[in-house]
Structure formats: structure tokens, C-alpha cells
Amino acid sequence: MRKDSVSIGGASGFWGDSVTGPMQLVASGRIDFLVFDYLAELTMSLLATARMKDPSLGYATDFVGVAMRAVLKDALAQNIRIIANAGGVNPRGCAAALQALADEWGLQVRIAVVEGDDVMSLLPALRDEGVREWQSDSPLAAKVLSANAYLGALPIKAALDAGAQVVITGRCVDSAVTLGALMHAFDWASDDYARLAAGSLAGHIIECGCQGVGGLHTDWESVPDWAYSGYPIVECRADGSFTVTKPEGSGGLVTPATVGEQLLYEIGDPARYVLPDVICDFTQATMTQTGEHRVDVNGARGRAPTSDYKVSATYADGYRATGQLTVVGFDADRKARRTADAILERTRELFRKLGLPDYSDTHVETLGSAYLFGPHQPQVPRFESVMWLAVAHTEKSALELFAREIAPAATSWAPGTTGAGGRPSVTPAIKQFAFLLDKARVRPQVTLLGGESLDVSVPTGGVRLEAPPVAAARTSPAPLVNPGRKVPLIELAYARSGDKGDTVNIGVMARRPEDLPLLRAQLTEDAVAAYLAHVVKGRVTRYELPGIHALNFVCEQALGGGGMASLRHDALGKGMAQVLLAMPVRIPANHA
């Protein structure tokens, strides 16, 4: 018999997350499903490289060797079903390793593999068809390492319907591991878009592990017991509503503020959050505190998905290396910068003598100087600074030469130079190429180890996905009545930021609903673009989420090329919300 509600625990937000997540959630005795998210775009390229060296690899080895070794026995004993995208570019290899572990322990476990996301075999035809990168319109690179479509929840539902106790997928959207469980548990139809949007929001809240229950919270000092941080649980009902909570006795904090920050995380246009199964509208989502560490979420809306899958391909584009040195004493920043300039000048002269071309890119920061704050940096003397010198080059030999020239700075130039350590490593520069692919050209398949294989039918209708449009028309900002003193934005709002390629997403949520007009009036697109102009070079678009009294800013050309291409220290934009929270805003003199 189907339950009226099911509980799903989010055990991992990335490959490398703490093993305490699955251990804590299984030990709670409160969950029906345990879901893991392992795959970022860069992770896929690393896994593809690993598989080229050893065909048995190419999956997130921690899933089997760490997480499942810690909890598989207890999970099976409690009839907890497990879903993970740990398969990477080799889901069958991951499943075989898990089967070997089960055999070692004498456990009977039914494992299913979801495949079909790997579209490398289609690349020759797509190249002939002139496929272009979705936003930059650049052609497909010559040396592609991986190409995977973001599958949805239907194959996961099919695997669970077939009786799988553990489902291992390759590339799928992060929230699909949760939505697939809910579609199976409640038998939601593929065109029940309101519920699919709600289930996707539940998955979005827990897909980053602790971030959904107090991790990275703006008011970090209010979050207790960091060493025992809770991992999120969503208690989901058949109508699509759900409650966010965490295991009893764990650390962390569950409030509308902490859950709301995660809703805003990397969401883009909240009225048009495009997933393979549904286009979600989260603008009217609401959050209500219903008990200690319990927040009810309602109001997600959905409509039919597009006819395309997004495909993330990765390719090699030369090499990169990063040198770091610590400089202590008076004028530490200026000494660190001059050191970086000297290393670049010296190595460029060596390149010329050896007939090597110049760097393809360089980037210098001084960590500790509040680099991200640009002209808004506090003007105070700093007596310790870390030189961050990141470089890219077409030839590995050039960067091996660069790596040898970092340590000599310790005895050559600035007094107080230390912390050289070993030579920096030279690694391939991996970049992303995103494009759209008609769903009709992808064949998702479910295989039960030692048993049947199932083709999964995915609706292929809908309109073609286009580049994100300009934000919909908004109401005019309310005039600021009786402006009084200036305060930093953090006094009025929470904020969370993250990346999507070379775009940074900054979500801002009013601490009090009545302060939203103040934010709307002053955090205009032009004002935010001007404040962040030292790092944001493209358009800034503002979206609104009145259900949680929030604004979301999508800032283009903001990360020096994006996560895999960027040479910045904060290549993923995690610090950008902290910069915006320092922006001065005016409040009336009588503001409480």
C-alpha cells in the first residue's frame, strides 16, 4: 500500500561531502529514501579522465567505498531505498563495485543502473550539423572529454517501480533523485506538473546537503553545533506539500530564512526554472515555521517541459597552474603584488628565450585584501597577504617552468616571504560546452543487475528551449519615503550566491516582509550592476519571489569565464553574496 507521506534524506551535496550525512540520516530511523548528489560539471570531466586511465573507474568511488560501506547494511535492514548519481561516466562500474561489497557481506540487494545520458557517440553527427554552445555560440571543441545529457526523474521512477533497492545513475539534474522517489511513492503522472514542480523544489532544497538546514547561513553565529551539522530531511505528502526538517539532536538550523536561502541558490529565473520533467515556477512558494526545526513549504507551480535536454560537454583547452606565497609585514599587499609581477616578467622572458608563446591568461589576487570587494575594500593596513597567481598556457612545458619559479621568491625579493611549499602542479585546463539536444535522440534505459533491461519512455513534446529571456515586466519600485541613515544591506536581508557557468546568481531575502519595498526600491538592476562593476562585466537581471519576500539577481560575465575556465580564487561565486551584503542602503529615520 502506498503511504500518505514519505521522508527523504539528502545525504550528499557533492563528491567529497562528509560521511556523517548518510550515517546520521540512516541512524535517525526516520527516512524511506536516502538520496545522494555527487556530480558537478568538473566532476564529470575528472571521472572521464579516470576512466581513460582505468576502464573500471569513472564513478564516484566514495559512494561505494565510504558511504555504502558505512550504511548499506542498516539501510537495507530498515527498507530504506537508495538513489545516487554516483555512476558518473561509468554507472555499470559503480554498480559492479557495490555488488562486490554486498557479496563480501553476504547481502542480497537489487541494484538498478540508469544509462543513456552519455551522448559522446552523437558528437560526430552533431559536429556535422554545426552544433553551437548554448550561450556563447562557439563551435564544438576538437578534444571533448565527456558529453552527458541531464536526464530527469522518469528513469529513476521506472527503476524503483521495477523493485530496485539501490538506483545508480549517471548525469541527471540534481533534484531528479528526489523527484524520482516521489513519483514512484505517490504514482505521480508525468503530466502532473504542479506536483512535479513541488517535488523538484523538495529536491532542490536537499540537493546541497547541509546548505538546506543552516549551512552557509548569513547569520552563521545563530547556527549551533557545526561539528554535528544536520543533513536535511523532507517529509513529503501526496499533494506535493512538504516539510523540511533534520535528524533529532543534530546541529544546524531549520527556519524560513535558512530554507529560503537554499531555494534562492543558483535558481536563475524563479518563474522559469527549467528541468527535464517540468518547468517550475517558485515565485509564489511560501515557507512557514510549524515547529522547532520544521518548515512547511507550499505553492510551487509547474507547466509542461521543453523538447530538449541540456547537455554538458567538457573539453581540454591547454593547461593551468596556481602559485601561492605568503608575505608578512608592512605593505604586505603591495609586496605580494610586486612578487607576482616579477614572476610573470621573469617567466615571460624565459618563454621568449625558449621560443614558447605567452600565457593565454593570467590572474593575480592578494588573499586577505578583500579582492572581491574591489573599490569597496576597507582601507586598513594589512600585515599578512597571500599571493594568488593563476596562469594558463597552451603548452605544459611552459607551466612546468612557471612552477619552478615560485619558490625562488622566498629568497629573492620581498622581506617576510614564506609558505612556498612544494611546486604547484600543472593540470589540464578543462572547460564546459553546453548545448541543447532533442529528447527524441536520447534513449534512457534502466538495467537491473543480473536481470531485465527496460527502455524508458520520456515525453518529447513541448517547445524548444531558448536562451533565458529578459526578465518579465515588474512593478515600478516604490519611492523611498523619508530616507534617513545608511546601513549595510546585511541589516535588512539574508543572501546566498552561486554559479552557473560564467553567471553568478545572488539571492536576497528580506529579513522582514515589510522591508521588501525598501530593497525593491534600492536594489535595482542598475544599482547592483554599479556596485559589482569591478567583477560583473555583463547584464544584471532582477527577478522577484514575493512568496518569500525575496529578489534574485542574475549577473552575467561575472566569474572570469566560469568555474572550470576561471583563474579566480572564488571561481564559483560563493563570496559574491557577501560582497553585496556590504552594499549601503538607506532606511528611514524611524525604521525599527
Side-chain angles (χ1 to χ4, degrees), residues 166 226 235 329 398:
V166 180
W226 279 11
E235 299 172 353

Side-chain angles (χ1 to χ4, degrees), residues 42 45 49 145 314-318 320 428-432 564-565:
L42 178 58
S45 65
T49 301
L145 299 175
T314 60
Y315 64 96
D317 185 23
R320 60 185 296 160
I430 307 300
K431 297 183 180 179
Q432 183 185 14
M564 291 182 287

Side-chain angles (χ1 to χ4, degrees), residues 138-433:
S138 58
L140 186 62
K143 188 177 181 181
V144 177
L145 299 175
S146 64
N148 298 82
Y150 285 78
L151 299 184
L154 283 171
I156 296 169
K157 176 184 184 297
L160 294 169
D161 289 348
Q165 295 167 287
V166 180
V167 182
I168 297 172
T169 81
R171 177 74 273 182
C172 64
V173 293
D174 298 348
S175 55
V177 293
T178 296
L179 180 58
L182 294 173
M183 293 183 75
H184 163 74
F186 299 129
D187 199 24
W188 288 344
S190 61
D191 60 354
D192 192 349
Y193 300 126
R195 287 182 173 86
L196 298 189
S200 297
L201 179 53
H204 177 69
I205 296 299
I206 68 172
E207 70 191 25
C208 293
C210 293
Q211 279 187 205
V213 289
L216 307 189
H217 184 39
T218 301
D219 291 353
W220 55 273
E221 286 188 293
S222 68
V223 181
D225 301 330
W226 279 11
Y228 305 98
S229 291
Y231 279 72
I233 296 172
V234 281
E235 299 172 353
C236 304
R237 294 167 284 279
D239 64 359
S241 65
F242 61 93
T243 300
V244 183
T245 185
K246 63 185 185 67
E248 187 175 350
S250 64
L253 183 67
V254 184
T255 67
T258 62
V259 178
E261 285 182 335
Q262 179 59 24
L263 187 157
L264 291 167
Y265 183 64
E266 299 180 350
I267 203 71
D269 181 350
R272 186 178 175 272
Y273 188 56
V274 180
L275 297 172
D277 302 296
V278 60
I279 297 176
C280 305
D281 180 351
F282 298 148
T283 57
Q284 302 303 318
T286 61
M287 297 181 179
T288 307
Q289 192 88 47
T290 56
E292 185 180 23
H293 302 306
R294 296 183 64 81
V295 170
D296 280 4
V297 181
N298 291 277
R301 300 180 294 188
R303 59 186 188 273
T306 70
S307 60
D308 302 290
Y309 285 119
K310 178 185 172 184
V311 177
S312 175
T314 60
Y315 64 96
D317 185 23
Y319 299 87
R320 60 185 296 160
T322 303
Q324 295 187 61
L325 290 167
T326 301
V327 182
V328 178
F330 290 97
D331 300 314
D333 288 347
R334 292 198 297 119
K335 288 189 291 188
R337 285 192 166 276
R338 187 175 177 187
T339 297
D341 291 342
I343 292 170
L344 290 174
E345 184 176 349
R346 172 181 284 182
T347 51
R348 281 177 164 135
E349 178 60 25
L350 291 171
F351 292 171
R352 283 191 289 270
K353 289 179 178 178
L354 294 170
L356 294 168
D358 194 7
Y359 295 105
S360 52
D361 198 8
T362 66
H363 179 71
V364 179
E365 291 183 33
T366 50
L367 309 183
S369 68
Y371 166 85
L372 268 183
F373 287 77
H376 316 299
Q377 292 178 12
Q379 297 303 309
V380 296
R382 284 175 285 270
F383 291 89
E384 187 172 271
S385 184
V386 177
M387 179 201 78
W388 170 276
L389 173 54
V391 296
H393 202 284
T394 56
E395 298 190 33
K396 186 176 183 180
S397 61
L399 294 194
E400 289 172 339
L401 186 157
F402 163 83
R404 294 195 297 269
E405 292 299 327
I406 303 299
T411 57
S412 299
W413 300 316
T417 299
T418 185
R423 290 177 181 173
S425 58
V426 178
T427 60
I430 307 300
K431 297 183 180 179
Q432 183 185 14
F433 183 96

